[in-house]
Amino acid sequence: MSFPDAASVALRDSQLRRNLAKATGTIRAKRASVVGELPDWQELRSAGRALKDRSLVDLDAQLELLEERVSAAGGQVHWANEADEACSIVAGVARAHGVDEVVKVKSIATDEIKLNEALAAAGVQAVETDLAELIIQLGDDVQSHILVPAIHKNRAEIRDLFARSLDLPDLSDEPEALAEAARVHLRRKFLSARMGVSGANFAVAETGTVCVFESEGNGRMCTTLPEVLVTVMGVEKLVRSWQDMEVFLQLLPRSSTGERMNPYTSFWTGVRPGDGPQEFHLVLLDNGRTGVLADQVGRQALRCIRCSACLNVCPVYSRVGGHAYESVYPGPIGAILTPQLHGMSEGRSLPYASSLCGACYEVCPVEIDIPRVLVHLRGRVVDTEPAWKPEKAAMRAMYRAFASRRSFERAQRAARLGSRPLARRGRIPRLPWPLSGWTETRDLPEPPAETFRDWWRRERGEGRARDEKPVDGEIGGKRGPRDLGAAATPDAAAAPRATSQNGDARRAMLGRIRQALADRPAPVEVPREYRRRSERSRPEIVDLFAERAGEYRATVRRAAPQELRQALTELCRHRGARRLTVPADLPPQWRPDGVELVPDTGLLPNDLDTLDGALTGCALAIAETGTIVLDGGFAQGRRALTLVPDYHLCVVSEDSIADLVPEAVERLEAAVAEGRPLTFISGPSATSDIELNRVEGVHGPRTLHVVIAG
Ligand code: SF4
C-alpha cells in the first residue's frame, strides 16, 4: 500500500489520533524542557553531526579497528551483508549452544532483518523483554514509534492482551499492575536465559566498546545474565573514540526520552572474565547501508542516532502514526531511510510524506537536513519513473520552460492565455486533469497580466534586460535534471547487492564501503565548543547532584565519614532490608548494623533474586544528570549485583562527583581502556510504555538509595 492510502486508513482511527496527540505532545514538551536548560545545546549538535560524519568518511578503516579491538577483548565479529546472513549467524550461535529460547532487548536493527521470524523458523523463540515490545509481540502487532512502539495501544487494550496471553483474568488496567505482570512474567525468563540478543546504540572503534541505552533494566538483564550475548549492529552506529561519547551521552537521552539521562546505559568491551556473558558475538550489518553511504546527499541519514525527536514534531507523523509508513523506521527518518535502504525499490511514496516544514531538521540532534534529503529523494523517484508519468512529464516540461529566457517567456504567455477561462477573481480554483490534483486542496493565483520582464522592458527598454547564462550543473546548464540525479545517485544503491558467505562477507562489505566513498569526502574537523570544564564550586556540584538524583526519585542522604555507618543502618531499617549482597572488597566502615551481608562469591542469578538488595560503592557520579556510574572497580562488584536484587544502596564519595558529562567521560577513560564494563544509573528502572504513565521499577531494582559520603 502506498503512504497516502495507508495514511487515509490511519486518519480514520480517532483513538489512534488521540493517543498520538497525547504522546507526541508530552514527549515534545519534556524534550524542550531538558534541552532548554543546556546553554551549549547547539554546540553539542554541531559536534554530534561532525563526530558521526567523521566516523563515516573512513568507515572501512574504523570497522576494521573495531573488529580488531573486539577480538582482542575476547569477542567474535561477524560481517553480514544482508538480513538473511545476519539472521543465520544469530541462529547458528543459538544452535551451537543448543538454545531454543533467547531473551531480546528492543532493537530496530533486528526488527529490520526480521530476526524473530528467522529464529522461529530455526526452532528458537525470541522473547521480547521491553514492555512495549512484549505488548507488540503478544498481540502479533507492529511497532508505531521508535521510542514507544506500542503508542497506539491504550491501557484497556493492554490489560485485555495480558489477561489473555499471560493467563491473568483478574488483572486491572492500572499501569503499575500491568508493569508488574510483565515483570513477573519476564523475570523467570531472565533468570534462566542462556543467550541474549541485543542491538547497539553506539560502538567505539578505538576501544571495541558497545553500548545500549534503556530505561527498564531489561537491556541490562539481557546483556548481563546469559552466558552468551549476540549484538546485531548497523555499521553506521560506529564512533571513533571513547571521548565522542561525551557528546552522545548528552544528545541522545535529552532528544529521545526527554530526560537528562535515561535510567540505564550499559557499556561492555568483549568478554569480562567472571562478569557477564562469557561469549560475545558482534554482528556488523550492512543490509543496504553502503548504498545509502554512496549517495552524497542521502548519506547524512546514516548519522541518525534513532532518538525519534523528528517523529514527535512532524505534523504528518503526529496525525497518521507509524503504521502508515509500513517500515520499522517511521516518521521523517523513515521517509528518508527506508527508500534508500531498499535502493529506491520500496517506500517510493515516503519522500512525499512531508510538508517540508523543516521542524524535523530543527530538532535533530545530529543536524540531518531531512527536508533537503526528501527533496533529493523525490528527484530520484521521478528520475526512475517512465517518461509518461504525469509528474515526470510535468518536470520535463518545467525543465524545458526554464531552460532559456525565450522558452520561459513563451511558457508565461501560454499560461496567461490558458488560464483566462479558468480564473475567478484573481484565483484559479480548479485546473483540468492531469493538473487537477494541485487544486484539490488549494487555489492557484492567476498569472499576472504583465510579468516583471514585460514591465522592465516597458520601463527601461529591451537592451537592459540581462540574460545570464546558466552554469554547468544548474538548471539549464550542460547537465539537465536527469544528469544531476545521476551524479548524486549512487551506483551502489542501484547495483544488485553482493551476496557473500562467511569470510567473503567481510571483503564484500569493505569493498562496497570503499566504492561508496570513492568521491573522497573531505576530512571532518570536530568543533568542541561545548562545556568541558565545570564553573561550579564543589559545594554547588554536590548540591546539584543531590537535587538531580532526587528528581529521578532516588532517595538521597548525606553523611559525614563518622556518620556513614549510621546512615546506612537507618536506610536499611527503613527499607526493611535484612540480607544484602556486597562486593568482596566492601570497606568495613560501610557495614550497616543488624543486616546480614552476603559477599558475592559468584552468586547465581537465582541466589541474588532471594536477597533483599545490594550495597555497593560507585566509580563516580555526574551532578548535571543525577547519575551514578559503576565500573566494576573498588567496592562495586559484578554488574549482576546491582541488577537482580530489588533494592540498591549506593555510597557516593563527595570527591567523586563530576559536574559535567565530559568530565566524567574523561575520568572513565582508563576503565574503558582496561575493558571494564560501565553501568550508568539514573534513578530506579522505569517505563512509560503504557499511555506514557511513568511507572517506577520494571526489571532493575525498584528502589535506589544514595548516600553521599564526605
Ligand atoms: S533523524 Fe535526527 S531527530 Fe530523527 S531519529 Fe534520527 S537523530 Fe533523531
Side-chain angles (χ1 to χ4, degrees):
M1 206 187 291
S2 70
F3 179 81
D5 294 338
S8 302
V9 175
L11 284 170
R12 286 197 285 274
D13 185 341
S14 55
Q15 175 70 46
L16 173 68
R17 290 215 312 276
R18 268 197 300 279
N19 290 0
L20 283 167
K22 180 181 172 198
T24 53
T26 306
I27 305 173
R28 260 198 323 264
K30 281 180 72 183
R31 177 201 164 273
S33 161
V34 293
V35 164
E37 70 183 27
L38 286 191
D40 52 353
W41 182 251
Q42 182 48 47
E43 287 77 8
L44 286 165
R45 285 180 80 211
S46 303
R49 168 199 178 131
L51 289 169
K52 289 296 280 187
D53 281 349
R54 191 182 68 161
S55 63
L56 290 173
V57 296
D58 59 351
L59 186 61
D60 50 339
Q62 296 303 315
L63 285 171
E64 288 177 305
L65 180 60
L66 176 72
E67 177 190 43
E68 181 194 315
R69 296 295 149 90
V70 171
S71 306
Q76 298 175 44
V77 177
H78 308 259
W79 301 70
N81 287 297
E82 301 281 351
D84 291 351
E85 277 181 74
C87 291
S88 49
I89 290 166
V90 183
V93 175
R95 240 189 332 267
H97 288 273
V99 166
D100 59 10
E101 183 175 282
V102 299
V103 285
K104 192 162 162 278
V105 192
K106 173 177 145 191
S107 144
I108 313 179
T110 58
D111 293 338
E112 175 193 322
I113 61 174
K114 300 196 182 335
L115 179 63
N116 291 5
E117 292 83 342
L119 287 176
V124 179
Q125 198 206 348
V127 178
E128 292 289 354
T129 60
D130 175 82
L131 178 54
E133 292 288 341
L134 178 68
I135 294 166
I136 297 291
Q137 187 174 47
L138 292 177
D140 199 16
D141 203 343
V142 180
Q143 299 87 346
S144 59
H145 192 280
I146 290 177
L147 177 65
V148 269
I151 202 171
H152 54 287
K153 292 273 188 210
N154 60 33
R155 62 171 78 184
E157 292 170 315
I158 298 168
R159 188 266 322 277
D160 292 347
L161 179 66
F162 278 13
R164 229 178 20 250
S165 315
L166 305 181
D167 194 19
L168 297 168
D170 300 325
L171 189 62
S172 91
D173 66 359
E174 287 303 314
E176 290 77 11
L178 297 170
E180 176 64 14
R183 177 185 170 93
V184 172
H185 169 69
L186 289 172
R187 183 149 281 242
R188 287 192 293 271
K189 305 277 183 193
F190 289 134
L191 296 182
S192 59
R194 293 179 51 217
M195 177 168 155
V197 176
S198 81
N201 289 98
F202 299 94
V204 180
E206 73 172 14
T207 60
T209 305
V210 179
C211 83
V212 165
F213 287 59
E214 50 128 0
S215 297
E216 297 177 7
N218 63 309
R220 289 182 70 193
M221 291 279 184
C222 293
T223 59
T224 305
L225 298 186
E227 304 150 26
V228 181
L229 172 62
V230 183
T231 297
V232 180
M233 183 192 101
V235 290
E236 80 283 12
K237 295 297 179 74
L238 197 78
V239 295
R240 262 196 211 184
S241 70
W242 167 245
Q243 191 195 6
D244 298 354
M245 291 311 303
E246 69 187 19
V247 173
F248 297 113
L249 278 163
Q250 298 185 75
L251 288 178
L252 182 52
R254 288 178 196 259
S255 299
S256 176
T257 52
E259 293 169 297
R260 297 185 183 111
M261 190 69 85
N262 46 298
Y264 296 135
T265 303
S266 303
F267 293 89
W268 67 94
T269 306
V271 171
R272 182 77 177 162
D275 184 356
Q278 296 301 292
E279 187 173 317
F280 172 55
H281 298 261
L282 178 62
V283 182
L284 301 175
L285 176 71
D286 179 344
N287 205 33
R289 285 158 176 79
T290 46
V292 185
L293 188 66
D295 186 319
Q296 293 168 31
V297 178
R299 66 169 57 133
Q300 58 186 299
L302 296 178
R303 282 187 216 140
C304 177
I305 56 173
R306 310 282 189 266
C307 71
S308 77
C310 57
L311 277 65
N312 301 321
V313 296
C314 177
V316 177
Y317 173 86
S318 58
R319 281 160 185 79
V320 303
H323 292 163
Y325 293 80
E326 297 192 328
S327 162
V328 295
Y329 300 105
I333 181 59
I336 61 171
L337 198 53
T338 304
Q340 292 199 86
L341 284 176
H342 296 287
M344 304 304 289
S345 64
E346 285 179 31
R348 291 167 63 84
S349 59
L350 291 178
Y352 298 87
S354 169
S355 64
L356 302 181
C357 68
C360 47
Y361 175 52
E362 293 295 318
V363 296
C364 179
V366 283
E367 297 184 332
I368 299 173
D369 191 346
I370 294 176
R372 180 171 178 230
V373 181
L374 285 167
V375 171
H376 168 69
L377 294 180
R378 289 178 188 186
R380 282 182 63 185
V381 170
V382 172
D383 243 15
T384 53
E385 281 180 342
W388 53 265
K389 284 273 192 165
E391 189 176 6
K392 180 138 187 174
M395 287 299 155
R396 294 213 72 80
M398 295 275 278
Y399 167 62
R400 286 204 192 91
F402 281 95
S404 74
R405 177 166 69 93
R406 257 177 234 294
S407 57
F408 182 59
E409 288 181 345
R410 269 201 302 272
Q412 282 182 314
R413 272 197 297 277
R416 210 160 40 236
L417 286 173
S419 65
R420 261 183 209 153
L422 305 170
R424 306 270 180 279
R425 290 193 292 277
R427 308 250 147 225
I428 301 173
R430 203 171 144 73
L431 284 169
W433 189 88
L435 303 173
S436 50
W438 178 263
T439 48
E440 255 169 30
T441 53
R442 54 174 97 68
D443 289 340
L444 193 67
E446 184 185 2
E450 183 180 47
T451 66
F452 172 76
R453 281 173 183 274
D454 292 339
W455 173 85
W456 184 276
R457 265 193 294 267
R458 182 163 54 75
E459 290 289 319
R460 310 283 171 95
E462 177 73 36
R464 301 289 300 278
R466 283 181 58 209
D467 194 4
E468 286 184 2
K469 289 204 166 33
V471 296
D472 187 14
E474 288 182 351
I475 294 174
K478 283 184 210 146
R479 292 186 299 157
R482 172 175 288 279
D483 307 313
L484 274 176
T489 301
D491 292 343
R497 306 241 191 95
T499 52
S500 52
Q501 290 175 6
N502 305 324
D504 294 341
R506 181 181 190 276
R507 206 171 320 115
M509 197 193 301
L510 289 172
R512 280 200 310 285
I513 291 171
R514 284 167 193 142
Q515 190 186 345
L517 294 171
D519 61 308
R520 296 182 196 286
V524 179
E525 283 296 315
V526 178
R528 294 194 190 265
E529 313 283 318
Y530 50 87
R531 293 167 306 147
R532 303 197 67 241
R533 287 285 170 262
S534 169
E535 292 179 356
R536 295 186 180 101
S537 67
R538 180 110 310 255
E540 285 173 333
I541 292 171
V542 177
D543 286 349
L544 183 64
F545 170 70
E547 178 194 316
R548 297 269 158 105
E551 283 173 19
Y552 275 130
R553 301 190 208 176
T555 299
V556 182
R557 274 195 63 168
R558 297 196 193 193
Q562 67 279 11
E563 300 163 352
L564 181 58
R565 191 177 191 135
Q566 180 62 22
L568 294 169
T569 303
E570 285 172 13
L571 284 169
C572 287
R573 195 172 302 138
H574 179 71
R575 164 76 187 176
R578 296 176 187 287
R579 291 179 77 226
L580 297 182
T581 181
V582 292
D585 54 352
L586 191 84
Q589 64 274 24
W590 291 13
R591 294 170 172 269
D593 296 323
V595 176
E596 181 191 346
L597 299 182
V598 182
D600 177 33
T601 49
L603 295 167
L604 296 173
N606 279 307
D607 300 330
L608 290 169
D609 196 37
T610 64
L611 298 168
D612 295 332
L615 166 59
T616 71
C618 66
L620 55 81
I622 308 171
E624 202 165 76
T625 59
T627 304
I628 55 174
V629 183
L630 280 74
D631 69 357
F634 173 67
Q636 295 164 59
R638 295 180 300 142
R639 284 171 283 173
L641 247 64
T642 55
L643 173 62
V644 179
D646 201 16
Y647 170 56
H648 183 194
L649 175 55
C650 184
V651 178
V652 177
S653 149
E654 241 186 53
D655 303 340
S656 74
I657 304 174
D659 184 14
L660 306 176
V661 171
E663 292 170 313
V665 166
E666 188 178 327
R667 287 195 215 169
L668 292 165
E669 197 171 329
V672 174
E674 283 173 31
R676 302 221 298 263
L678 305 182
T679 308
F680 285 55
I681 300 173
S682 305
S685 64
T687 182
S688 300
D689 281 338
I690 302 162
E691 295 181 350
L692 289 182
N693 292 294
R694 186 177 169 92
V695 178
E696 302 287 326
V698 193
H699 304 299
R702 283 182 278 197
T703 307
L704 173 65
H705 285 172
V706 174
V707 180
I708 302 173

